[in-house]
Amino acid sequence: SYQVYDAAVKLFRDEKGVYQPWQLENAIKTLDPIIDIYHIHNEPDWPVHVVRKHTKKPIVWDVHDMRSVREGTIDKYEGIALKECNAVSVVSRRYQEIINSRDPMKPSREVLSSVPKGFYPKQRSKIYRGGIVYEGGLGSSTTQEFPCRSWADVFSEIMKLGIQMWAYKGNHSTDNREYAGAIVHGPINYALLLNELTSYEFGLVGSPYADKMFDGALPNKMFEYMAAGLPMICMNAPDVSNFLHATGMGVSVNHVSEIPDAMQHMRGGRYRRRVWENRWNWAQEGQTNKVTWLYEQCLGRSLRDPIIPGEL
């Protein structure tokens, strides 16, 4: 049902790309007879409640970010989603601990936001640009949905240290003028992005300052850097720091001034080889059994057909 589900998602956005409950309701009524499980990505969380009103089919609530972690209180629809779903997929161990503390009987699994093997670059780019690259959401004074995405000051400080800063932004609305000196591209095609990343020396992940948004976060970019064979420099993301320390895929710094030493520490090829050789261990296909387990818990039976890697 994955292709059908993707079609359903498209059906409940209006012409401006905004989610609308009535469009989702129409999609559910149309597709419910041929859907076994609803797998609903969170934020917004209200679609879980809308789906539950119109179906008795199982719902997997897929938690990538948690408003309650950022703001300290459980949002109305976040609470409803946990109550009305049948199982929970989370992106980090910290998030799973939170879910378990709120509903210890609810089936849940940590499913990492990994990259499917089919997107992994087979070789490094023939162009070597060096420097540090950042890919993902970028903030500016005109787009402040999440202030911790505003990297302008950090990029400026990095470049003052004589290090070129590159970025592939994930949002069209970012004002490139606020990143003077940095070379900002994008957004671009996903497969092209991963191949482009192979031409850089290190990937930057985390937040320019401590922010609750990164309490429990294991962002997609971490796995995308790994898929491209990039050692990482992490700032203000404790769960990412723990991952890098455990796997040797990069290092953490407490301040921009520590970045040159961190880069020097990782040079010489040792980190680069380690990431390139071990990146396959973190491909999405290695997470498939966890999703299978969640679905089987919801359905009360083994899956007749295997999940197709890359179509989760």
Side-chain angles (χ1 to χ4, degrees):
S1 297
Y2 302 112
Q3 291 177 336
V4 174
Y5 173 77
D6 287 342
V9 169
K10 293 180 177 65
L11 286 175
F12 71 94
R13 290 176 185 260
D14 65 16
E15 65 277 3
K16 295 181 179 179
V18 178
Y19 295 104
Q20 297 291 352
W22 65 267
Q23 291 174 299
L24 176 57
E25 290 173 350
N26 288 340
I28 297 165
K29 293 173 184 177
T30 302
L31 299 169
D32 195 62
I34 57 173
I35 283 181
D36 295 315
I37 294 175
Y38 290 85
H39 191 131
I40 303 176
H41 193 298
N42 81 319
E43 297 214 334
D45 294 307
W46 59 258
V48 174
H49 184 55
V50 175
V51 171
R52 177 51 69 219
K53 286 197 302 183
H54 295 280
T55 186
K56 294 182 179 179
K57 300 288 180 67
I59 296 172
V60 173
W61 183 38
D62 196 324
V63 179
H64 279 241
D65 295 286
M66 299 189 77
R67 187 182 298 275
S68 58
V69 173
R70 295 196 303 271
E71 300 180 0
T73 57
I74 300 175
D75 173 77
K76 171 184 175 181
Y77 284 109
E78 185 177 301
I80 290 174
L82 179 57
K83 180 180 178 180
E84 295 185 336
C85 73
N86 298 87
V88 187
S89 170
V90 296
V91 295
S92 71
R93 188 170 302 172
R94 169 66 178 142
Y95 283 178
Q96 187 169 10
E97 290 171 352
I98 293 171
I99 295 297
N100 289 344
S101 70
R102 295 178 186 173
D103 189 345
M105 301 305 293
K106 188 82 67 174
S108 63
R109 277 291 183 274
E110 176 194 26
V111 182
L112 302 176
S113 303
S114 306
V115 177
K117 289 180 179 179
F119 285 102
Y120 272 49
K122 302 299 185 294
Q123 59 187 17
R124 296 190 188 277
S125 170
K126 294 180 180 179
I127 300 172
Y128 180 71
R129 299 182 175 99
I132 299 175
V133 65
Y134 173 88
E135 64 98 340
L138 280 180
S140 60
S141 60
T142 55
T143 57
Q144 285 297 322
E145 179 186 8
F146 298 114
C148 63
R149 286 180 173 172
S150 193
W151 284 90
D153 291 342
V154 170
F155 282 15
S156 176
E157 288 301 311
I158 290 174
M159 289 185 289
K160 286 178 182 177
L161 296 171
I163 302 164
Q164 179 59 51
M165 197 68 229
W166 308 75
Y168 291 82
K169 62 182 182 180
N171 44 316
H172 290 277
S173 59
T174 303
D175 189 344
N176 288 15
R177 291 173 298 180
E178 298 197 18
Y179 292 87
I183 301 175
V184 181
H185 303 280
I188 66 172
N189 173 273
Y190 189 66
L192 177 59
L193 167 66
L194 292 174
N195 280 284
E196 283 280 302
L197 290 178
T198 66
S199 64
Y200 300 98
E201 195 171 9
F202 304 106
L204 180 64
V205 63
S207 169
Y209 54 84
D211 189 282
K212 289 184 178 180
M213 184 173 177
F214 281 84
D215 183 6
L218 287 181
N220 296 0
K221 63 174 62 64
M222 183 178 83
F223 298 96
E224 290 154 1
Y225 291 147
M226 279 198 293
L230 281 187
M232 283 163 267
I233 297 171
C234 173
M235 293 181 65
N236 299 308
D239 290 77
V240 174
S241 293
N242 291 340
F243 182 92
L244 297 182
H245 178 74
T247 61
M249 297 290 188
V251 300
S252 297
V253 298
N254 295 313
H255 191 269
V256 174
S257 62
E258 300 174 8
I259 287 179
D261 286 342
M263 293 174 67
Q264 190 61 35
H265 171 72
M266 288 193 288
R267 281 178 174 144
R270 177 167 54 100
Y271 275 83
R272 202 166 171 84
R273 285 192 300 272
R274 181 184 298 147
V275 178
W276 188 259
E277 292 169 1
N278 292 298
R279 61 195 179 125
W280 300 98
N281 296 332
W282 304 100
Q284 187 187 78
E285 286 77 356
Q287 306 298 307
T288 300
N289 63 323
K290 302 175 185 178
V291 182
T292 300
W293 183 86
L294 285 173
Y295 288 179
E296 290 177 341
Q297 293 299 302
C298 290
L299 295 170
R301 60 174 173 80
S302 296
L303 293 179
R304 182 179 60 185
D305 299 314
I307 294 175
I308 302 173
E311 293 192 359
L312 294 178

